[in-house]
């Protein structure tokens, strides 16, 4: 119990602390849980914990998709001061806030731990020091409440979140774009994914944050409270000449669905260096043409994402992997909040016969609700729900974890020549 001491400050207030039951009682409880799953008419209630990066989130949902309660502690402003996420600081802040966040979520749902049917927590991929906090706390709640435990793959959770709020039938194409990931995959079912492409270097959200810092957008009052991606999108909307800066197309000779954003970042840094020299820009001041630059940058990134996504659609269409009436593109992840990118992808979908569905922006960023919902999907499908205590205690975190079965070579072998549809209406 010593290693969980920092979780014990207020457990009794909402029922987080319960005496350890005997082996006989635990066996009886497990049996009753199984019986209730099949005999009880009420939806199961899942508590989800998210600590893969820098936000501590807890969500409580039922298996019908109803959000019962949620809470989150954002570390954004703390890491903004450091110019990036510091893993040790992120981990310590998770430890400091996780009990309060879970209590707040239970309180907002008017529930206690005894009312929860299972605990779900992100265990991969992510920052190991952050993941460990959520995994340990999730297992701890599972143990003291004698609840099943559901380990969650962070990207699978992003891919499935939309099904909580909108009817999207399997299979469908998903595009995940965030600060840590970029990928295209076919979602076959709750735990079966076919990876069509992923990033070869940096994630889009990561390079947007780095470029925003290099542009010193945080020193402009109207952008000071925004993330890097938000600031660039907002600045781009004020552009007078989006064509003033030119970015070369990315990976034009590679007929696959792989992403690369490092070249866009390097080109951006060279542009900024040159502009600062030409205009003798002060250390704390943004370049004079920052709005036009952000617009050109955003367009370059958008075209790259759209072309890769269009090729994935053509791969699916050519092989008839999804029936015509079910062809759907779902986008999720923090960068999916970008409205300019969403509009461009909607144009591509219209041209290629896909329905466009965006995960609600408030659920695109990392949060506990998406983890709880992934647990609910797994509970309903009866897959990945751990009930054996020894098996639960053996669950460990993973820094890197791919999504499903790789079909990257299949896409390459298809050798699909693809010309991006016109985005003139943007």
């Amino acid at each position: 119990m010593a290693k969980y001491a920092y979780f014990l400050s207020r457990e009794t207030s909402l029922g987080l602390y319960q005496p350890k039951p005997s082996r006989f009682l635990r066996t009886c409880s497990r049996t009753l849980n199984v019986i209730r799953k099949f005999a009880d008419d009420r939806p199961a209630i899942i508590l989800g914990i998210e600590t893969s990066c820098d936000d501590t989130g807890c969500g409580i949902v039922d298996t019908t998709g109803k959000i019962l309660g949620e809470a989150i502690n954002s570390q954004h402003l703390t890491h903004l001061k450091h110019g990036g996420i510091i893993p040790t600081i992120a981990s310590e802040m998770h430890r400091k806030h996780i009990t309060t966040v879970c209590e707040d979520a239970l309180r907002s749902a008017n529930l206690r731990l005894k009312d929860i049917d299972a605990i779900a927590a992100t265990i991969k991929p992510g920052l190991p020091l952050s993941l460990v906090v959520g995994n340990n706390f999730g297992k701890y709640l599972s143990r003291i409440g004698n609840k099943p435990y559901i380990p969650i793959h962070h990207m699978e959770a992003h891919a499935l979140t939309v099904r909580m709020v909108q009817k999207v039938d399997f299979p469908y194409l998903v595009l995940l774009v965030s600060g840590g990931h970029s990928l295209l995959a076919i979602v076959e079912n709750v735990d079966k994914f076919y990876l069509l492409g992923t990033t070869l270097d940096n994630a889009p959200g990561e390079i947007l944050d780095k470029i925003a810092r290099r542009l010193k957008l945080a020193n402009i009052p109207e952008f000071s409270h925004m993330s890097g991606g938000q600031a660039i999108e907002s600045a781009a909307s004020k552009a007078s000449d989006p064509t003033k800066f030119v970015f070369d197309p990315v990976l034009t000779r590679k007929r696959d669905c792989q992403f690369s954003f490092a070249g866009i970042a390097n080109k951006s840094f060279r542009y900024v260096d040159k502009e600062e020299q030409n205009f003798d820009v002060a250390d704390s001041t943004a370049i004079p043409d920052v709005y036009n630059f952000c617009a050109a940058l955003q367009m370059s990134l958008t075209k790259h994402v759209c072309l890769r996504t269009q090729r994935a659609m053509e791969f699916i269409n050519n092989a008839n992997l999804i029936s015509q009436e079910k062809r759907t593109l779902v986008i999720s992840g923090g960068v999916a909040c970008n409205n300019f990118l969403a509009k461009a992808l909607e144009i591509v979908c219209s041209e290629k016969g896909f329905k466009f569905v965006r995960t609600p922006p408030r659920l695109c960023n990392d949060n506990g609700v998406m983890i709880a919902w992934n647990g609910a999907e797994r509970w309903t499908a009866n897959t990945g729900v751990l009930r054996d205590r020894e098996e639960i205690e053996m669950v460990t975190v993973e820094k890197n974890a791919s999504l499903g079965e790789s079909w990257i070579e299949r896409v390459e072998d298809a050798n699909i020549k693809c010309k991006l549809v016109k985005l003139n209406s943007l």
Side-chain angles (χ1 to χ4, degrees):
M1 292 291 291
K3 70 176 181 177
Y4 297 108
Y6 59 92
F7 294 137
L8 298 175
S9 59
R10 292 181 297 280
E11 287 163 353
T12 55
S13 65
L14 288 170
L16 293 188
Y17 177 74
Q18 299 176 7
K20 185 177 180 180
S22 67
R23 179 175 295 179
F24 172 74
L25 289 176
R26 290 199 302 272
T27 302
C28 290
S29 179
R30 282 196 296 269
T31 302
L32 288 172
N33 282 339
V34 173
I35 293 173
R36 183 171 62 182
K37 179 180 186 301
F38 293 101
D40 205 351
D41 288 336
R42 75 167 181 83
I45 299 173
I46 312 298
L47 182 148
I49 298 170
E50 160 60 18
T51 62
S52 66
C53 191
D54 61 332
D55 285 337
T56 311
C58 181
I60 302 171
V61 306
D62 67 23
T63 45
T64 69
K66 182 178 180 181
I67 300 175
L68 304 176
E70 59 180 311
I72 193 165
N73 179 75
S74 174
Q75 302 178 14
H76 168 66
L77 294 179
T78 298
H79 295 294
L80 191 63
K81 297 175 183 176
H82 295 281
I85 296 171
I86 310 299
T88 52
I89 294 176
S91 174
E92 184 55 38
M93 292 188 72
H94 284 309
R95 292 176 185 272
K96 180 179 179 181
H97 295 288
I98 192 166
T99 298
T100 299
V101 167
C102 288
E103 285 184 341
D104 288 347
L106 284 165
R107 186 179 291 109
S108 69
N110 195 26
L111 296 172
R112 296 169 67 88
L113 182 59
K114 64 183 178 63
D115 302 313
I116 303 298
D117 290 287
I119 308 296
T122 307
I123 66 156
K124 61 183 177 183
L127 300 176
L129 292 176
S130 293
L131 288 169
V132 163
V133 177
N135 184 42
N136 284 349
F137 194 56
K139 291 194 293 185
Y140 170 67
L141 294 183
S142 167
R143 183 170 64 254
I144 64 172
N146 194 31
K147 307 293 182 181
Y149 189 59
I150 311 174
I152 300 297
H153 189 301
H154 182 83
M155 290 183 287
E156 291 181 5
H158 270 307
L160 293 170
T161 302
V162 71
R163 284 170 43 87
M164 184 181 70
V165 295
Q166 187 169 338
K167 180 176 172 56
V168 179
D169 294 327
F170 298 123
Y172 58 88
L173 175 65
V174 67
L175 167 68
L176 300 184
V177 277
S178 69
H181 315 286
S182 58
L183 62 85
L184 284 157
I186 297 172
V187 184
E188 183 70 22
N189 56 44
V190 172
D191 63 351
K192 195 169 187 179
F193 301 79
Y194 302 117
L195 183 65
L196 305 183
T198 187
T199 184
L200 296 171
D201 39 59
N202 307 74
E206 177 191 348
I207 70 110
L208 288 173
D209 284 343
K210 288 180 177 178
I211 295 170
R213 286 197 296 272
R214 182 67 187 84
L215 288 169
K216 294 166 280 193
L217 291 179
N219 294 340
I220 301 175
E222 63 183 308
F223 307 136
S224 60
H225 64 289
M226 298 179 182
S227 68
Q230 289 174 320
I232 287 172
E233 180 182 10
S234 182
S237 68
K238 302 175 185 297
S240 59
D241 183 8
T243 63
K244 187 169 184 179
F245 296 89
V246 178
F247 286 82
D248 296 326
V250 181
L251 298 180
T252 53
R253 297 183 180 180
K254 297 288 186 179
R255 295 181 181 177
D256 56 28
C257 291
Q258 301 284 70
F259 297 97
S260 176
F261 299 98
I264 295 175
N266 291 334
K267 180 77 169 181
S268 296
F269 298 145
R270 289 196 295 270
Y271 264 138
V272 176
D273 288 342
K274 184 177 179 180
E275 289 290 294
E276 288 181 340
Q277 291 173 10
N278 289 344
F279 294 96
D280 194 22
V281 174
D283 289 344
S284 61
T285 306
I287 60 175
D289 231 350
V290 65
Y291 295 159
N292 286 333
F293 175 81
C294 286
L297 164 65
Q298 182 174 250
M299 178 59 83
S300 175
L301 185 144
T302 295
K303 285 183 175 181
H304 179 50
V305 171
C306 284
L307 183 60
R308 265 35 204 175
T309 305
Q310 182 179 324
R311 182 173 283 112
M313 292 175 178
E314 296 191 11
F315 173 76
I316 289 169
N317 291 352
N318 292 349
N320 199 26
L321 297 172
I322 300 176
S323 61
Q324 192 168 355
E325 64 275 9
K326 282 190 174 183
R327 288 172 187 167
T328 301
L329 170 69
V330 169
I331 66 169
S332 190
V335 180
C337 294
N338 185 294
N339 292 318
F340 186 86
L341 174 63
K343 289 176 183 177
L345 287 165
E346 195 166 7
I347 293 170
V348 175
C349 283
S350 178
E351 289 289 330
K352 293 300 170 183
F354 274 67
K355 180 182 178 182
F356 175 80
V357 179
R358 176 161 66 159
T359 302
R362 79 176 194 88
L363 296 175
C364 278
N365 291 302
D366 296 349
N367 60 86
V369 168
M370 74 179 196
I371 304 305
W373 173 247
N374 193 236
E377 289 257 41
R378 287 183 167 276
W379 178 277
T380 301
N382 195 27
T383 180
V385 181
L386 307 182
R387 291 182 169 84
D388 180 78
R389 180 53 49 195
E390 290 186 5
E391 189 177 6
I392 291 172
E393 295 302 331
M394 289 177 63
V395 174
T396 57
V397 304
E398 298 177 41
K399 177 181 179 180
N400 300 308
S402 60
L403 180 68
E405 178 185 343
S406 177
W407 278 15
I408 292 173
E409 288 190 6
R410 284 187 60 174
V411 177
E412 291 175 347
D413 291 342
N415 195 34
I416 299 170
K417 188 176 182 179
C418 190
K419 183 178 180 180
L420 181 62
V421 302
K422 293 183 179 180
L423 303 175
N424 294 339
S425 59
L426 284 176

